[in-house]
Amino acid sequence: MSIQLQSQWVLRWVVPACASLLVCGLLLLALVWAAGRTDEVAAVRQRDLVTLTVSKLKAGLAHDQESATVWDDAVKNTASGNLEWVEANLGSWMHSYFGHDAALVLRTDLSPLYQFLADAEYAPAPDDLKRAYLPLAIRLQARLAAGDTEGTNDRVLSIGESDLRYVGFRPAIVSVKPIVSDSGDIEQVPGKERIHVAVRFLDGDLPPIIGSEYAFDALKFSAKQPRGRDLAFVPLRAKDGQVFGYFRWRPFQPGKQVLNNTAPALLLAFVALFSGTSLAGGAFWRRSERLATSRAELKHQASHDVLTGLANRAHFGEQLDLRLRRAQADEQHCLLFVDLDRFKAVNDTFGHPVGDELIGMAAARMRALLPEALIARIGGDEFTILLHAGDARNAEELSDNLVRRLKVPFEVGASHITIGASVGAAHAAGASDPAELMRQADIALYHAKAAGRNTYAIFGGHMDEVLRKRRTLEDDLRSALENGSQLEVFYQPVFAADEGNLCSLEALARWKHPLIGYISPEEFIPLAEEIGLINDIGTLVLEDACKTLAEFPEISIAINASALELAAPGYPLRVLTALAKWQISPCRLEIEMTESATTGDGGELERTISMLRKAGVQFAIDDFGTGYSSFSRVQKIEVDRIKIDKSFIDEMHRNDSKALVVAMIDMARAKGLKITAEGVETTEQQSVLKSLGWHSLQGFLLSRPMPRPAVVALMLKIRQESSDAIAVLPSS
Ligand code: C2E
Ligand code: CA
Ligand code: CA
């Protein structure tokens, strides 16, 4: 179970259950305690009541007797042996009126004169009855003889004895009273009085009667101590203090009753409390969940790129810093710099929504290949990847895979778009300096690009060596420009696509290094830009081009100018001055914006271009479709021509690349721009380009760039041929 689910479960069920259980448990505990206390008090009361009832029974039995024993008629009739009278007044009457179970009248010698038993079917052995009353009768006779009157008063008219006795096996209250004169007119010898015995059994109808009178449930006599948790009992003691037996009953427990009655209510309260707290817990969980989610979203937004969902530059920097500084000594790191090739062309040709979708797809491919790595988008089409320790060992293979994957065409809408990528990788082990690792990866990327793009390079010590060489080269370039001898201008002819006539020349700078030989402008132009010498080179080429233009008025020449040069405040004046100096019409000069330097989209460049265009100078966007040349520039800056980069011409045999080229032509046509293809190397390319309606073609197939003397010779030859043709024409 996930932590999230667990905490939801806890908040929704466990906490409410615990809280409800606690509250209801405490309530129940209090109730149980109170009920227990109530039942205890009730039990003591009930026991006292039973004890009191028994003693009242004893007294009551004696009292009943006196209604007939303290009576002159009774003395007389017992003395005369009138059993009929005795039966009527001292026997059955006692039963019918008071409910006594047995009655006897004893003679002076304590032998029974008369005996009555209420239950006709019950016949105790004579000795059983005798054993029950004899000790009491003997004691009474002794007390009578002694003249003892203790216990007599207004209500108790004669002394008596009573006790709890067994008649055979039956427990009973037995009471004896003397039969005495009520008027005092009959003389009697103390101790010689007849004696009346009354018996009330405790195991017959008496307990139910007491039970119903005092609300004791199932009151019964028991000879042995009752067992059972739901029974209350009280011992009955005879006069000698011995336990005679027990009265037991089902106790009335008001507390327990209250508890039983409140149990459903308590259960209801538990359910209500549980549902309430569970709902509250659920609401609380959802709220905190929402809070946590939005907090996480905010955090994610702050540290991630919206388009790709990858980390952003700041987040990547933080993570890189953190991981490199905390790394174990033997931990491997590898940092990759990835740069998408030709992405700008896609953006400008198909529009930003397609570009965005493509970036998203490229990011997804990288993520799929490196699911564990930290990947960031740090610029429009630039990515950085920090491989985790395991992948770092396979950096070379992974970089190669990355290049291959990104080379596979992307399907965006109906189009198949091919881009590509250059990858630079740098390794480190243990705690290392992030800035140094970034620098190394950047150098490696530079090498990958220099090696022709669509490839990868791993940083090595030799690259630093390359850097060192570059510094030397910078110094050499400085001194070359001071001397002015090593730099030359070559010219490459450009031909009309349809008829194949030479229509213009492109001036290309060359550096003839005294030790190295010819160095490509692709190498020394960026160097010159970096060290601020580009204007000097530009001036040199411009000067040479003007000289050539002056020599051959029938052609136009294109010069290359980096954005950096164009943005310099004195540039338009410099160009116009050179043109004026050589008396050349500005429309014969075309300036190709090579865009090899990063352009700030400052207004200076636009002002320069519009000023020169007003004067008649033509403008072209060079290397169209790569790097910084872009459709957006075409939209913003008015130009006259676009030159499609060689890489597109190379790839034109592929359907997806051809689609891009066709889109470029359509765009150029729509804008009324002239269009030139660069780097035409094969006749196939030439015929395809022709069929597509191209204006002009340039490439090794038609002519290589050549030094000034060679191009002068060529021009003179062409001039000669055309004048020959003109000379032939009239006669034909
Ligand atoms: P670019 O302006 O695109 O010039 C065309 C480049 O393609 C030239 O390389 C040319 O020799 C080469 N090229 C022409 N046709 C073919 C072909 O069929 N196959 C192949 N493989 N290459 C062909 P180059 O002269 O080495 O110039 C390289 C780049 O240096 C130029 O590219 C331009 O961007 C820059 N550059 C040259 N001269 C100057 C300059 O005076 N000023 C500035 N700012 N940049 C210059
Ligand atoms: Ca060019
Ligand atoms: Ca070019």
Side-chain angles (χ1 to χ4, degrees):
M1 209 192 283
S2 75
I3 291 181
Q4 219 184 22
L5 259 177
Q6 251 176 28
S7 57
Q8 180 188 14
W9 198 77
V10 165
L11 266 172
R12 288 277 340 231
W13 308 112
V14 179
V15 171
C18 290
S20 315
L21 271 177
L22 188 74
V23 172
C24 292
L26 283 174
L27 212 66
L28 189 70
L29 220 68
L31 268 171
V32 166
W33 181 82
R37 285 288 303 143
T38 309
D39 290 347
E40 257 172 47
V41 172
V44 170
R45 287 247 171 91
Q46 288 169 59
R47 278 199 297 273
D48 289 350
L49 189 59
V50 172
T51 312
L52 184 72
T53 306
V54 172
S55 68
K56 266 173 85 180
L57 270 175
K58 279 200 270 179
L61 198 64
H63 187 69
D64 297 344
Q65 280 176 294
E66 279 191 344
S67 64
T69 56
V70 184
W71 190 12
D72 288 357
D73 287 359
V75 177
K76 280 180 205 154
N77 285 301
T78 51
S80 65
N82 183 357
L83 291 182
E84 208 174 314
W85 188 93
V86 170
E87 159 82 11
N89 293 286
L90 294 171
S92 62
W93 186 81
M94 286 283 178
H95 168 69
S96 55
Y97 203 79
F98 297 117
H100 295 179
D101 295 310
L104 287 98
V105 175
L106 304 180
R107 298 189 187 93
T108 307
D109 63 356
L110 302 180
S111 64
L113 169 74
Y114 165 80
Q115 177 175 320
F116 166 82
L117 282 165
D119 185 353
E121 285 166 28
Y122 172 65
D127 276 0
D128 287 348
L129 266 170
K130 197 174 175 182
R131 266 197 291 275
Y133 65 71
L134 202 57
L136 302 176
I138 291 169
R139 212 177 308 143
L140 179 65
Q141 264 187 343
R143 284 180 65 198
L144 287 164
D148 183 357
T149 56
E150 196 190 322
T152 57
N153 52 42
D154 294 353
R155 287 173 49 235
V156 180
L157 306 171
S158 60
I159 61 167
E161 288 286 330
S162 70
D163 204 351
L164 300 170
R165 307 283 302 167
Y166 277 96
V167 178
F169 292 110
R170 297 195 65 181
I173 302 171
V174 180
S175 173
V176 292
K177 280 276 184 183
I179 300 169
V180 290
S181 163
D182 57 336
S183 61
D185 294 344
I186 303 172
E187 209 161 301
Q188 286 180 286
V189 181
K192 298 291 178 198
E193 296 89 341
R194 305 278 188 291
I195 288 173
H196 184 263
V197 180
V199 177
R200 192 83 173 92
F201 290 121
L202 294 176
D203 60 351
D205 61 348
L206 185 62
I209 291 170
I210 303 170
S212 70
E213 197 167 328
Y214 295 98
F216 284 105
D217 187 15
L219 184 75
K220 267 189 187 150
F221 178 86
S222 160
K224 286 186 189 149
Q225 183 172 322
R227 304 200 183 277
R229 287 181 60 223
D230 54 349
L231 285 179
F233 62 89
V234 69
L236 305 177
R237 289 179 193 279
K239 265 212 173 109
D240 58 4
Q242 297 287 322
V243 174
F244 170 79
Y246 301 84
F247 258 148
R248 65 135 178 95
W249 66 99
R250 235 190 324 267
F252 170 56
Q253 293 173 303
K256 199 171 175 187
Q257 223 162 59
V258 168
L259 205 64
N260 287 343
N261 293 341
T262 36
L266 203 68
L267 195 74
L268 221 68
F270 175 82
V271 171
L273 203 67
F274 177 76
S275 324
T277 40
S278 167
L279 278 173
F284 179 75
W285 181 82
R286 279 192 296 278
R287 199 166 149 262
S288 49
E289 204 36 27
R290 272 202 300 277
L291 264 175
T293 311
S294 53
R295 213 176 292 139
E297 270 170 12
L298 277 178
K299 206 175 156 202
H300 190 268
Q301 272 170 20
S303 57
H304 287 76
D305 171 49
V306 183
L307 188 61
T308 58
L310 299 174
N312 61 19
R313 182 190 282 272
H315 182 61
F316 186 84
E318 275 168 26
Q319 289 296 310
L320 183 72
D321 213 64
L322 213 72
R323 294 197 198 173
L324 291 201
R325 292 195 196 283
R326 285 193 194 156
Q328 306 285 321
D330 57 343
E331 203 174 315
Q332 294 286 323
H333 319 289
C334 183
L335 177 64
L336 307 182
F337 272 24
V338 182
D339 200 306
L340 300 184
D341 299 331
R342 317 206 313 172
F343 171 67
K344 288 282 188 308
V346 173
N347 227 351
D348 297 331
T349 314
F350 295 99
H352 283 275
V354 171
D356 285 355
E357 203 175 333
L358 189 102
I359 282 283
M361 291 166 105
R365 281 193 195 171
M366 287 189 238
R367 172 55 74 216
L369 184 68
L370 302 164
E372 313 243 321
L374 174 66
I375 309 181
R377 180 174 175 226
I378 60 161
D381 56 356
E382 294 161 356
F383 299 83
T384 48
I385 302 175
L386 181 63
L387 298 180
H388 78 96
D391 281 348
R393 287 175 228 284
N394 308 324
E396 194 156 350
E397 193 189 324
L398 287 171
S399 301
D400 191 37
N401 283 345
L402 213 53
V403 170
R404 280 173 203 274
R405 287 272 179 104
L406 292 170
K407 228 194 300 189
V408 176
F410 289 91
E411 246 178 86
V412 188
S415 322
H416 289 258
I417 303 174
T418 308
I419 52 169
S422 306
V423 176
H427 282 283
S432 0
D433 175 15
E436 173 60 14
L437 197 63
M438 297 270 271
R439 187 189 72 86
Q440 293 179 356
D442 196 24
I443 292 172
L445 177 65
Y446 165 84
H447 275 259
K449 282 185 183 170
R453 298 173 186 267
N454 255 327
T455 185
Y456 68 93
I458 311 270
F459 178 84
H462 67 282
M463 289 187 185
D464 265 337
E465 175 61 17
V466 169
L467 225 58
R468 199 190 54 73
K469 276 192 185 147
R470 199 181 137 104
R471 301 273 172 268
T472 318
L473 214 61
E474 282 171 15
D475 294 340
D476 292 352
L477 185 62
R478 239 178 240 111
S479 49
L481 276 166
E482 274 163 26
N483 300 339
S485 57
Q486 295 170 23
L487 280 145
E488 288 173 38
V489 180
F490 275 36
Y491 291 89
Q492 184 175 26
V494 180
F495 299 89
D498 46 2
E499 292 175 349
N501 298 332
L502 187 153
C503 52
S504 65
L505 301 172
E506 180 178 2
L508 297 158
R510 293 284 178 273
W511 178 15
K512 194 175 180 188
H513 193 276
L515 300 175
I516 305 170
Y518 278 111
I519 295 176
S520 162
E522 274 175 314
E523 220 173 302
F524 71 84
I525 294 291
L527 204 68
E529 281 172 344
E530 235 169 79
I531 59 176
L533 295 177
I534 189 70
N535 291 341
D536 299 328
I537 294 176
T539 307
L540 194 142
V541 176
L542 177 67
E543 216 28 53
D544 202 272
C546 285
K547 193 172 144 199
T548 313
L549 280 169
E551 248 173 88
F552 301 99
E554 65 273 32
I555 52 144
S556 58
I557 292 186
I559 58 166
N560 293 281
S562 74
L564 214 63
E565 223 180 327
L566 286 168
Y571 187 76
L573 189 65
R574 199 168 79 208
V575 173
L576 295 176
T577 311
L579 288 171
K581 182 178 139 195
W582 293 92
Q583 294 184 330
I584 291 158
S585 160
C587 64
R588 294 179 58 214
L589 181 72
E590 188 166 274
I591 298 176
E592 296 182 5
M593 292 184 282
T594 59
E595 308 282 346
S596 47
T598 313
T599 54
D601 277 276
E604 193 66 41
L605 180 75
E606 283 166 50
R607 267 198 300 282
T608 297
I609 296 170
S610 83
M611 199 188 294
L612 286 171
R613 283 190 82 239
K614 264 184 205 144
V617 177
Q618 303 281 295
F619 271 86
I621 292 186
D622 204 356
D623 303 341
F624 191 88
T626 64
Y628 301 97
S629 319
S630 61
F631 273 69
S632 56
R633 309 211 114 239
V634 178
Q635 309 297 338
K636 265 204 238 157
I637 305 169
E638 289 294 310
V639 293
D640 306 279
R641 181 194 301 275
I642 56 172
K643 293 185 79 174
I644 306 292
D645 189 64
K646 177 178 186 300
S647 58
F648 293 97
I649 309 301
D650 287 346
E651 297 270 314
M652 220 169 41
H653 58 279
R654 296 168 55 138
N655 281 340
D656 46 333
S657 270
K658 192 170 173 184
L660 201 53
V661 170
V662 170
M664 288 174 183
I665 298 171
D666 290 346
M667 187 278 303
R669 280 221 184 96
K671 294 224 67 169
L673 301 175
K674 288 174 273 185
I675 185 159
T676 301
E678 287 187 317
V680 181
E681 288 181 339
T682 66
T683 47
E684 290 81 38
Q685 287 171 347
Q686 187 183 26
S687 57
V688 172
L689 289 166
K690 256 188 195 174
S691 73
L692 288 174
W694 226 266
H695 292 112
S696 45
L697 310 178
Q698 178 183 5
F700 290 175
L701 177 73
L702 306 163
S703 170
R704 285 186 176 257
M706 47 189 113
R708 197 164 184 283
V711 90
V712 166
L714 176 71
M715 291 303 300
L716 289 173
K717 191 176 153 223
I718 292 173
R719 194 186 274 177
Q720 187 59 50
E721 279 168 8
S722 62
S723 67
D724 288 355
I726 290 165
V728 167
L729 210 62
S731 64
S732 66

